[in-house]
Amino acid sequence: ETSVSNGVYRGRPHGGVSISWSPILNHIITPLSHLRHKRVIGVELKTKSQSILLICAYMPFFNASRRAECMSETMDAISMIETIIEQYPNHELIIGGDFNTEMKGQSSYNSLWDSFISKFHLASCDPYFPPSSFTYNHESLNQKKWSDHFLVSKSILNQNILSDHQILDDGDNPSDHLPISMSIKIEHEKCNNYEVPTKSSPKLKWEKLSDAWK
């Protein structure tokens, strides 16, 4: 616990990974809770016609002063993604997150991703976002990069079920990274047992009213 007397925190903590969904989709989404990693998380999405792995990844920042450590952390995280994929064969893939690289160039760091993309027959969704954009903006260092990405199975691209690719620039966002989003159109079985939660109305206790005005 942190005491308020410590004062106001400045800056922000390191990023992380999470996947959220509406409770109405509980019957078609299964968290892969037995496959845990500090940089990778996944869920299984079952539609009427296909099974999809949704994976969120947060990769280390590649610091040239600790090149070997960064490479090792990246290889470890990619290895975890491969473990998930191999345990769920015949699933299509949607992988998104902060990859901390622009996914281009000839560095050994990017060659890891090139091999991964080729191995699992993936495609980048970068071309579907507005051109000349960026997802990382460090104003004090005057740095703008495209560090956040979606990778999807080529078969998903061929189905034309992805749309509405956006970079979300919100003034309330304290991060240097701008969230990216896209929509996927799927058909799934309706959950007959789901009930929309009702908000409970506050109960007014009139007998306490006199005490409040004393």
Side-chain angles (χ1 to χ4, degrees):
E1 295 182 2
T2 302
S3 172
V4 177
S5 62
N6 288 341
V8 177
Y9 282 112
R10 301 191 180 191
R12 63 183 181 86
H14 294 291
V17 288
S18 69
I19 298 177
S20 304
W21 61 90
S22 169
I24 200 172
L25 300 177
N26 281 344
H27 65 296
I28 62 170
I29 291 181
T30 303
L32 309 183
S33 54
H34 61 295
L35 296 168
R36 298 183 179 182
H37 191 280
K38 65 180 180 179
R39 293 187 177 276
V40 179
I41 193 171
V43 301
E44 180 188 29
L45 170 65
K46 283 187 172 283
T47 74
K48 283 186 176 181
S49 59
Q50 63 202 123
S51 295
I52 301 173
L53 290 180
L54 303 176
I55 298 174
C56 180
Y58 169 59
M59 293 296 167
F61 171 73
F62 196 77
N63 190 330
S65 64
R66 53 184 192 93
R67 182 180 300 273
E69 181 182 351
C70 291
M71 183 65 73
S72 176
E73 289 183 10
T74 301
M75 292 175 64
D76 181 62
I78 293 179
S79 177
M80 183 61 193
I81 298 175
E82 292 190 356
T83 298
I84 295 175
I85 296 172
E86 289 165 357
Q87 289 198 20
Y88 289 84
N90 305 317
H91 283 56
E92 293 173 295
L93 304 173
I94 297 178
I95 304 170
D98 175 9
F99 292 6
N100 263 316
T101 179
E102 292 194 291
M103 303 287 284
K104 58 185 179 182
Q106 303 300 319
S107 71
S108 56
Y109 184 77
N110 286 316
S111 67
L112 291 175
W113 285 111
D114 291 340
S115 298
F116 175 81
I117 290 171
S118 176
K119 179 178 180 179
F120 294 105
H121 309 289
L122 303 176
S124 172
C125 290
D126 289 358
Y128 298 93
F129 287 85
S132 303
S133 299
F134 54 86
T135 67
Y136 172 82
N137 181 21
H138 198 304
E139 294 184 354
S140 60
L141 297 179
N142 195 28
Q143 292 184 353
K144 294 182 179 181
K145 300 178 181 180
W146 191 294
S147 300
D148 304 82
H149 310 271
F150 282 117
L151 302 177
V152 302
S153 297
K154 290 182 178 179
S155 55
I156 287 182
L157 283 184
N158 295 335
Q159 295 171 40
N160 295 318
I161 57 177
L162 300 177
S163 63
D164 197 25
H165 299 78
Q166 296 186 58
I167 299 174
L168 308 177
D169 192 355
D170 189 332
D172 292 333
N173 175 23
S175 173
D176 298 327
H177 289 262
L178 302 178
I180 60 175
S181 72
M182 67 180 182
S183 299
I184 177 171
K185 185 178 180 180
I186 61 171
E187 292 186 29
H188 61 84
E189 299 291 342
K190 184 178 180 181
C191 179
N192 297 322
N193 298 326
Y194 178 76
E195 295 182 2
V196 178
T198 57
K199 293 184 178 179
S200 58
S201 300
K203 183 178 180 181
L204 301 177
K205 295 186 176 181
W206 296 105
E207 66 273 15
K208 300 292 185 179
L209 183 61
S210 58
D211 294 335
W213 288 96
K214 288 182 180 179

mmCIF file of all heavy atoms in Angstrom, residues 160-187:
data_model
loop_
_atom_site.group_PDB
_atom_site.id
_atom_site.type_symbol
_atom_site.label_atom_id
_atom_site.label_comp_id
_atom_site.label_asym_id
_atom_site.label_seq_id
_atom_site.Cartn_x
_atom_site.Cartn_y
_atom_site.Cartn_z
ATOM 1 N N ASN A 160 -11.977 -10.664 -45.300
ATOM 2 C CA ASN A 160 -12.508 -9.296 -45.306
ATOM 3 C C ASN A 160 -13.437 -9.028 -44.119
ATOM 4 O O ASN A 160 -14.505 -8.429 -44.269
ATOM 5 C CB ASN A 160 -13.245 -9.002 -46.616
ATOM 6 C CG ASN A 160 -12.323 -9.013 -47.817
ATOM 7 O OD1 ASN A 160 -11.214 -8.497 -47.754
ATOM 8 N ND2 ASN A 160 -12.776 -9.625 -48.907
ATOM 9 N N ILE A 161 -13.028 -9.485 -42.929
ATOM 10 C CA ILE A 161 -13.855 -9.267 -41.741
ATOM 11 C C ILE A 161 -13.252 -8.211 -40.816
ATOM 12 O O ILE A 161 -13.809 -7.932 -39.749
ATOM 13 C CB ILE A 161 -14.059 -10.581 -40.963
ATOM 14 C CG1 ILE A 161 -12.720 -11.196 -40.560
ATOM 15 C CG2 ILE A 161 -14.877 -11.568 -41.796
ATOM 16 C CD1 ILE A 161 -12.861 -12.459 -39.713
ATOM 17 N N LEU A 162 -12.129 -7.617 -41.216
ATOM 18 C CA LEU A 162 -11.493 -6.568 -40.417
ATOM 19 C C LEU A 162 -11.812 -5.206 -41.006
ATOM 20 O O LEU A 162 -11.867 -5.039 -42.226
ATOM 21 C CB LEU A 162 -9.979 -6.772 -40.378
ATOM 22 C CG LEU A 162 -9.471 -8.089 -39.777
ATOM 23 C CD1 LEU A 162 -7.944 -8.158 -39.884
ATOM 24 C CD2 LEU A 162 -9.911 -8.237 -38.328
ATOM 25 N N SER A 163 -12.017 -4.230 -40.141
ATOM 26 C CA SER A 163 -12.354 -2.888 -40.622
ATOM 27 C C SER A 163 -12.048 -1.852 -39.536
ATOM 28 O O SER A 163 -11.644 -2.191 -38.421
ATOM 29 C CB SER A 163 -13.838 -2.807 -41.004
ATOM 30 O OG SER A 163 -14.655 -3.031 -39.859
ATOM 31 N N ASP A 164 -12.289 -0.606 -39.891
ATOM 32 C CA ASP A 164 -12.247 0.507 -38.928
ATOM 33 C C ASP A 164 -10.918 0.570 -38.179
ATOM 34 O O ASP A 164 -10.882 0.649 -36.952
ATOM 35 C CB ASP A 164 -13.405 0.368 -37.940
ATOM 36 C CG ASP A 164 -13.679 1.668 -37.188
ATOM 37 O OD1 ASP A 164 -13.343 2.741 -37.715
ATOM 38 O OD2 ASP A 164 -14.218 1.601 -36.069
ATOM 39 N N HIS A 165 -9.809 0.559 -38.911
ATOM 40 C CA HIS A 165 -8.489 0.656 -38.288
ATOM 41 C C HIS A 165 -8.238 2.103 -37.873
ATOM 42 O O HIS A 165 -8.293 3.017 -38.699
ATOM 43 C CB HIS A 165 -7.411 0.203 -39.273
ATOM 44 C CG HIS A 165 -7.560 -1.221 -39.709
ATOM 45 N ND1 HIS A 165 -8.487 -1.620 -40.653
ATOM 46 C CD2 HIS A 165 -6.899 -2.352 -39.329
ATOM 47 C CE1 HIS A 165 -8.389 -2.928 -40.842
ATOM 48 N NE2 HIS A 165 -7.445 -3.396 -40.053
ATOM 49 N N GLN A 166 -7.958 2.305 -36.594
ATOM 50 C CA GLN A 166 -7.814 3.665 -36.083
ATOM 51 C C GLN A 166 -6.636 3.781 -35.117
ATOM 52 O O GLN A 166 -6.284 2.821 -34.429
ATOM 53 C CB GLN A 166 -9.065 4.091 -35.318
ATOM 54 C CG GLN A 166 -10.332 4.195 -36.136
ATOM 55 C CD GLN A 166 -11.469 4.753 -35.315
ATOM 56 O OE1 GLN A 166 -11.395 5.856 -34.762
ATOM 57 N NE2 GLN A 166 -12.539 3.991 -35.201
ATOM 58 N N ILE A 167 -6.048 4.979 -35.086
ATOM 59 C CA ILE A 167 -5.100 5.366 -34.046
ATOM 60 C C ILE A 167 -5.827 6.378 -33.171
ATOM 61 O O ILE A 167 -6.288 7.406 -33.665
ATOM 62 C CB ILE A 167 -3.822 5.973 -34.643
ATOM 63 C CG1 ILE A 167 -3.124 4.944 -35.536
ATOM 64 C CG2 ILE A 167 -2.879 6.444 -33.543
ATOM 65 C CD1 ILE A 167 -1.932 5.505 -36.281
ATOM 66 N N LEU A 168 -5.963 6.069 -31.893
ATOM 67 C CA LEU A 168 -6.808 6.860 -31.007
ATOM 68 C C LEU A 168 -5.975 7.897 -30.260
ATOM 69 O O LEU A 168 -5.198 7.567 -29.360
ATOM 70 C CB LEU A 168 -7.524 5.939 -30.011
ATOM 71 C CG LEU A 168 -8.272 4.757 -30.645
ATOM 72 C CD1 LEU A 168 -8.870 3.873 -29.565
ATOM 73 C CD2 LEU A 168 -9.358 5.259 -31.588
ATOM 74 N N ASP A 169 -6.129 9.145 -30.630
ATOM 75 C CA ASP A 169 -5.385 10.242 -30.005
ATOM 76 C C ASP A 169 -6.308 10.964 -29.040
ATOM 77 O O ASP A 169 -7.141 11.781 -29.443
ATOM 78 C CB ASP A 169 -4.858 11.193 -31.083
ATOM 79 C CG ASP A 169 -3.847 12.185 -30.526
ATOM 80 O OD1 ASP A 169 -3.642 12.189 -29.293
ATOM 81 O OD2 ASP A 169 -3.263 12.951 -31.315
ATOM 82 N N ASP A 170 -6.185 10.647 -27.770
ATOM 83 C CA ASP A 170 -7.059 11.191 -26.729
ATOM 84 C C ASP A 170 -6.220 12.027 -25.781
ATOM 85 O O ASP A 170 -5.210 11.560 -25.239
ATOM 86 C CB ASP A 170 -7.738 10.043 -25.974
ATOM 87 C CG ASP A 170 -8.820 10.531 -25.018
ATOM 88 O OD1 ASP A 170 -8.720 11.675 -24.542
ATOM 89 O OD2 ASP A 170 -9.758 9.768 -24.746
ATOM 90 N N GLY A 171 -6.652 13.238 -25.530
ATOM 91 C CA GLY A 171 -5.917 14.129 -24.650
ATOM 92 C C GLY A 171 -5.833 13.640 -23.221
ATOM 93 O O GLY A 171 -4.958 14.077 -22.449
ATOM 94 N N ASP A 172 -6.728 12.745 -22.813
ATOM 95 C CA ASP A 172 -6.704 12.212 -21.449
ATOM 96 C C ASP A 172 -5.727 11.055 -21.289
ATOM 97 O O ASP A 172 -5.538 10.548 -20.183
ATOM 98 C CB ASP A 172 -8.105 11.739 -21.045
ATOM 99 C CG ASP A 172 -9.082 12.895 -20.901
ATOM 100 O OD1 ASP A 172 -8.620 14.018 -20.595
ATOM 101 O OD2 ASP A 172 -10.288 12.686 -21.101
ATOM 102 N N ASN A 173 -5.118 10.622 -22.366
ATOM 103 C CA ASN A 173 -4.186 9.493 -22.317
ATOM 104 C C ASN A 173 -2.809 9.983 -21.880
ATOM 105 O O ASN A 173 -2.167 10.757 -22.586
ATOM 106 C CB ASN A 173 -4.104 8.844 -23.701
ATOM 107 C CG ASN A 173 -3.071 7.738 -23.757
ATOM 108 O OD1 ASN A 173 -2.709 7.160 -22.737
ATOM 109 N ND2 ASN A 173 -2.581 7.456 -24.964
ATOM 110 N N PRO A 174 -2.296 9.540 -20.701
ATOM 111 C CA PRO A 174 -1.002 10.027 -20.210
ATOM 112 C C PRO A 174 0.194 9.322 -20.827
ATOM 113 O O PRO A 174 1.329 9.715 -20.599
ATOM 114 C CB PRO A 174 -1.072 9.733 -18.704
ATOM 115 C CG PRO A 174 -1.911 8.501 -18.620
ATOM 116 C CD PRO A 174 -2.939 8.634 -19.731
ATOM 117 N N SER A 175 -0.035 8.286 -21.628
ATOM 118 C CA SER A 175 1.060 7.500 -22.182
ATOM 119 C C SER A 175 1.662 8.174 -23.413
ATOM 120 O O SER A 175 1.012 8.956 -24.099
ATOM 121 C CB SER A 175 0.552 6.099 -22.555
ATOM 122 O OG SER A 175 1.542 5.374 -23.238
ATOM 123 N N ASP A 176 2.922 7.829 -23.685
ATOM 124 C CA ASP A 176 3.563 8.267 -24.926
ATOM 125 C C ASP A 176 3.031 7.489 -26.123
ATOM 126 O O ASP A 176 3.237 7.892 -27.266
ATOM 127 C CB ASP A 176 5.079 8.076 -24.843
ATOM 128 C CG ASP A 176 5.712 8.907 -23.741
ATOM 129 O OD1 ASP A 176 5.205 10.006 -23.476
ATOM 130 O OD2 ASP A 176 6.704 8.443 -23.145
ATOM 131 N N HIS A 177 2.388 6.359 -25.855
ATOM 132 C CA HIS A 177 1.840 5.521 -26.921
ATOM 133 C C HIS A 177 0.375 5.855 -27.164
ATOM 134 O O HIS A 177 -0.384 6.078 -26.222
ATOM 135 C CB HIS A 177 1.950 4.038 -26.552
ATOM 136 C CG HIS A 177 3.356 3.520 -26.592
ATOM 137 N ND1 HIS A 177 3.868 2.836 -27.667
ATOM 138 C CD2 HIS A 177 4.354 3.600 -25.683
ATOM 139 C CE1 HIS A 177 5.127 2.507 -27.420
ATOM 140 N NE2 HIS A 177 5.439 2.948 -26.213
ATOM 141 N N LEU A 178 0.000 5.884 -28.425
ATOM 142 C CA LEU A 178 -1.385 6.073 -28.807
ATOM 143 C C LEU A 178 -2.011 4.709 -29.061
ATOM 144 O O LEU A 178 -1.454 3.902 -29.811
ATOM 145 C CB LEU A 178 -1.485 6.931 -30.067
ATOM 146 C CG LEU A 178 -0.846 8.319 -29.988
ATOM 147 C CD1 LEU A 178 -0.979 9.033 -31.337
ATOM 148 C CD2 LEU A 178 -1.474 9.158 -28.891
ATOM 149 N N PRO A 179 -3.147 4.414 -28.452
ATOM 150 C CA PRO A 179 -3.782 3.108 -28.687
ATOM 151 C C PRO A 179 -4.189 2.947 -30.151
ATOM 152 O O PRO A 179 -4.548 3.912 -30.825
ATOM 153 C CB PRO A 179 -5.025 3.147 -27.784
ATOM 154 C CG PRO A 179 -4.756 4.236 -26.784
ATOM 155 C CD PRO A 179 -3.903 5.235 -27.496
ATOM 156 N N ILE A 180 -4.127 1.714 -30.629
ATOM 157 C CA ILE A 180 -4.629 1.405 -31.955
ATOM 158 C C ILE A 180 -5.815 0.459 -31.814
ATOM 159 O O ILE A 180 -5.909 -0.294 -30.847
ATOM 160 C CB ILE A 180 -3.545 0.782 -32.859
ATOM 161 C CG1 ILE A 180 -3.005 -0.523 -32.254
ATOM 162 C CG2 ILE A 180 -2.411 1.768 -33.091
ATOM 163 C CD1 ILE A 180 -2.018 -1.254 -33.161
ATOM 164 N N SER A 181 -6.728 0.531 -32.754
ATOM 165 C CA SER A 181 -7.914 -0.320 -32.678
ATOM 166 C C SER A 181 -8.339 -0.751 -34.072
ATOM 167 O O SER A 181 -8.008 -0.098 -35.075
ATOM 168 C CB SER A 181 -9.071 0.416 -31.986
ATOM 169 O OG SER A 181 -9.595 1.430 -32.823
ATOM 170 N N MET A 182 -9.061 -1.841 -34.117
ATOM 171 C CA MET A 182 -9.700 -2.277 -35.357
ATOM 172 C C MET A 182 -10.902 -3.134 -34.977
ATOM 173 O O MET A 182 -10.997 -3.625 -33.835
ATOM 174 C CB MET A 182 -8.734 -3.051 -36.254
ATOM 175 C CG MET A 182 -8.294 -4.387 -35.722
ATOM 176 S SD MET A 182 -7.145 -5.208 -36.878
ATOM 177 C CE MET A 182 -6.879 -6.758 -36.006
ATOM 178 N N SER A 183 -11.816 -3.304 -35.891
ATOM 179 C CA SER A 183 -13.028 -4.076 -35.641
ATOM 180 C C SER A 183 -12.962 -5.389 -36.416
ATOM 181 O O SER A 183 -12.382 -5.453 -37.505
ATOM 182 C CB SER A 183 -14.267 -3.293 -36.087
ATOM 183 O OG SER A 183 -14.379 -2.082 -35.362
ATOM 184 N N ILE A 184 -13.553 -6.429 -35.840
ATOM 185 C CA ILE A 184 -13.657 -7.717 -36.514
ATOM 186 C C ILE A 184 -15.106 -8.169 -36.486
ATOM 187 O O ILE A 184 -15.776 -8.085 -35.455
ATOM 188 C CB ILE A 184 -12.741 -8.776 -35.853
ATOM 189 C CG1 ILE A 184 -12.917 -10.132 -36.541
ATOM 190 C CG2 ILE A 184 -13.001 -8.889 -34.365
ATOM 191 C CD1 ILE A 184 -11.904 -11.167 -36.108
ATOM 192 N N LYS A 185 -15.592 -8.584 -37.627
ATOM 193 C CA LYS A 185 -16.981 -9.024 -37.750
ATOM 194 C C LYS A 185 -17.040 -10.539 -37.671
ATOM 195 O O LYS A 185 -16.449 -11.241 -38.485
ATOM 196 C CB LYS A 185 -17.570 -8.554 -39.083
ATOM 197 C CG LYS A 185 -19.051 -8.869 -39.255
ATOM 198 C CD LYS A 185 -19.573 -8.337 -40.580
ATOM 199 C CE LYS A 185 -21.055 -8.644 -40.751
ATOM 200 N NZ LYS A 185 -21.566 -8.123 -42.043
ATOM 201 N N ILE A 186 -17.753 -11.048 -36.669
ATOM 202 C CA ILE A 186 -17.864 -12.492 -36.487
ATOM 203 C C ILE A 186 -19.317 -12.870 -36.239
ATOM 204 O O ILE A 186 -20.141 -12.029 -35.871
ATOM 205 C CB ILE A 186 -17.008 -12.990 -35.304
ATOM 206 C CG1 ILE A 186 -17.486 -12.335 -33.995
ATOM 207 C CG2 ILE A 186 -15.541 -12.721 -35.539
ATOM 208 C CD1 ILE A 186 -16.861 -12.913 -32.752
ATOM 209 N N GLU A 187 -19.614 -14.140 -36.446
ATOM 210 C CA GLU A 187 -20.915 -14.690 -36.095
ATOM 211 C C GLU A 187 -20.714 -15.689 -34.967
ATOM 212 O O GLU A 187 -19.793 -16.512 -35.009
ATOM 213 C CB GLU A 187 -21.553 -15.388 -37.299
ATOM 214 C CG GLU A 187 -21.953 -14.437 -38.414
ATOM 215 C CD GLU A 187 -22.715 -15.158 -39.511
ATOM 216 O OE1 GLU A 187 -23.382 -16.170 -39.190
ATOM 217 O OE2 GLU A 187 -22.640 -14.729 -40.661
#
